Amino acid sequence: MPAFFATVFSGLIIIITVRAVAIVLNIAKSKGEVSRSNWRLGIVCVVSVGVAIFVLLPFVYDRLFSYFS
């Protein structure tokens, strides 16, 4: 049960972080500081890393909580 709550809390932090980086990239694109291809690459990388961490997080927390208990 503690692993579930830790996963949910960390997942919310990851979602907030990915959203914030996407907003920053959108602002940079609208000001012309980032090209369209760099913007796409940035969005794809941020979302991919966020999803990968979000998917692997429950397994990591499960291992940590079972190791220390």
Side-chain angles (χ1 to χ4, degrees), residues 5 7 20 23 26 30 33-35 41 43 52-53 61:
F5 290 124
T7 302
I23 289 170
N26 285 333
S30 69
E33 297 175 358
V34 176
S35 66
L41 179 65
I43 293 291
I53 292 172
Y61 277 136

Side-chain angles (χ1 to χ4, degrees), residues 2-59:
F4 173 74
F5 290 124
T7 302
V8 169
F9 180 70
S10 298
L12 289 173
I13 293 172
I14 291 168
I15 290 170
I16 291 168
T17 304
V18 168
R19 184 174 179 268
V21 172
I23 289 170
V24 168
L25 286 171
N26 285 333
I27 291 170
K29 183 180 163 261
S30 69
K31 289 185 176 184
E33 297 175 358
V34 176
S35 66
R36 187 174 176 100
S37 59
N38 285 343
W39 175 78
R40 283 184 185 169
L41 179 65
I43 293 291
V44 167
C45 288
V46 167
V47 170
S48 300
V49 169
V51 168
I53 292 172
F54 191 72
V55 168
L56 294 175
L57 206 56
F59 302 112

